[in-house]
Amino acid sequence: MNWDDARIFLALCREQTLRGAARVLGVDQATVGRRLASLEQALGATLFLRTSGGYSLTAAGEVARAAAQQMEASAAELQRHILGMDDRMAGEVRITTSESFAIDFVLPAIARVRQEHPNIAVQLHASAQMLNLSLREADIAIRNVKPDNPDLIVRRVARWSAALHASADYVQAHGIPEPGSAFAGHDLVLYQPYLDSGQEVTLAGEPITHGRIATTCTSGLLVRHALRAGLGIGEIPVPLGQQDGLLRLWPQRERFPYDIWLVTHKDVRHTARVRVVIEAIAAAFAAAG
């Protein structure tokens, strides 16, 4: 199995359809099918069962996947080592983070970097998906969960408290809820994954049992926009509320620190273009307080 075949095989393992693998690899569906048939013929084994639900690995396929993953890890390690020796202020830097952090911090940082280093290009992946830095899916990650992989270099770029916020228009129309009222008579904006977590749902430590859930949002950025639109009361980090011009409610009930971590792989942290982007992003967070 050569590396090109291994890439196609692993994409099909992960996507489970020819169409999905072709999309990830940037090739046409027929190419994936043809390369898979050639690989199975070369190995003398059937690697997948073709089912109505997609492609499912056979026992031989499981063995092939383990070998292909070792090839993938070796290729990624080689790329990281080569990248770590690069002292040019040119080339691509790949960043993964949330939409909120991308808009408020990463994009302004990129703009400043490119004023001085116009040959640095940034590929920005904004979603809740955690990309794998060890496999070089990204060079830099900005997360609110600290990873424990010893191969990753982790730097805290912010420590924020979280508090209740609402727009001035909402407070003028509805007033400020009384602590202990469980938000009786008030509209609430909630983060949908929090609702789905099975935990007891509270805002600033207050049960929401008497409040009205006006809006649920699948991202922190949408929660912020819903609050700015006057849809209700919600809990977000204090610097973001200040940035959005929201009123901070119940300051005495600000909750635990909300840490932001900037993460890169130890093999690429000294790459010149990665380093300059890291410092620009860290400065953008520091300016927010």
Side-chain angles (χ1 to χ4, degrees):
M1 183 189 299
N2 62 41
W3 173 230
D4 284 339
D5 287 339
R7 287 177 60 245
I8 288 176
F9 172 70
L10 286 173
L12 190 53
C13 288
R14 290 160 181 160
E15 299 298 322
Q16 298 185 310
T17 66
L18 293 177
R19 177 179 296 178
R23 184 185 65 252
V24 167
L25 294 167
V27 300
D28 61 71
Q29 189 171 327
T31 298
V32 177
R34 185 170 61 252
R35 294 290 293 273
L36 173 62
S38 175
L39 178 60
E40 288 184 321
Q41 184 176 10
L43 293 176
T46 299
L47 302 178
F48 292 95
L49 295 176
R50 283 71 165 174
T51 71
S52 58
Y55 280 62
S56 177
L57 283 171
T58 63
E62 294 283 0
V63 173
R65 179 170 63 178
Q69 287 173 330
Q70 288 181 349
M71 293 177 69
E72 181 181 50
S74 296
E77 183 179 15
L78 175 61
Q79 286 182 314
R80 291 195 309 269
H81 283 307
I82 296 298
L83 179 60
M85 299 169 62
D86 192 349
D87 60 1
R88 298 171 301 153
M89 287 297 185
E92 186 176 77
V93 177
R94 292 172 295 176
I95 304 171
T96 177
T97 188
S98 68
E99 287 184 329
S100 181
F101 293 161
I103 291 170
D104 292 316
F105 302 100
V106 177
L107 288 176
I110 293 171
R112 286 191 290 274
V113 167
R114 282 186 49 79
Q115 285 178 356
E116 196 169 339
H117 307 290
N119 292 321
I120 293 177
V122 174
Q123 183 185 109
L124 182 56
H125 180 274
S127 80
Q129 180 186 0
M130 295 286 192
L131 298 188
N132 191 321
L133 273 66
S134 295
L135 294 180
R136 291 231 50 237
E137 293 177 345
D139 301 309
I140 299 168
I142 301 102
R143 302 171 174 168
N144 57 14
V145 176
K146 184 179 182 181
D148 56 7
N149 184 336
D151 291 332
L152 300 180
I153 304 301
V154 181
R155 174 178 177 178
R156 188 172 65 200
V157 291
R159 168 163 278 193
W160 297 334
S161 58
L164 286 182
H165 288 82
S167 70
D169 287 344
Y170 178 88
V171 170
Q172 184 175 10
H174 301 279
I176 297 175
E178 289 290 331
S181 68
F183 298 104
H186 282 274
D187 298 327
L188 306 176
V189 176
L190 298 177
Y191 183 53
Q192 184 66 49
Y194 183 25
L195 277 177
D196 296 339
S197 68
Q199 305 175 49
E200 179 189 5
V201 179
T202 64
L203 294 175
E206 181 85 6
I208 65 167
T209 47
H210 297 318
R212 298 181 296 265
I213 298 177
T215 311
T216 63
C217 302
T218 56
S219 76
L221 182 63
L222 289 176
V223 169
R224 292 169 57 193
H225 277 274
L227 296 176
R228 287 169 60 184
L231 290 173
I233 296 169
E235 189 175 25
I236 60 173
V238 169
L240 299 183
Q242 292 173 339
Q243 190 163 298
D244 291 343
L246 298 170
L247 298 180
R248 181 170 46 166
L249 314 180
W250 298 3
Q252 72 279 9
R253 290 247 196 136
E254 289 181 13
R255 294 218 276 180
F256 51 84
Y258 184 94
D259 290 334
I260 312 300
W261 305 96
L262 191 152
V263 187
T264 191
H265 196 279
K266 65 182 182 182
D267 291 338
V268 303
R269 63 175 166 157
H270 296 306
T271 304
R273 64 180 180 271
V274 173
R275 188 173 63 249
V276 74
V277 172
I278 285 173
E279 293 306 322
I281 294 171
F285 276 96

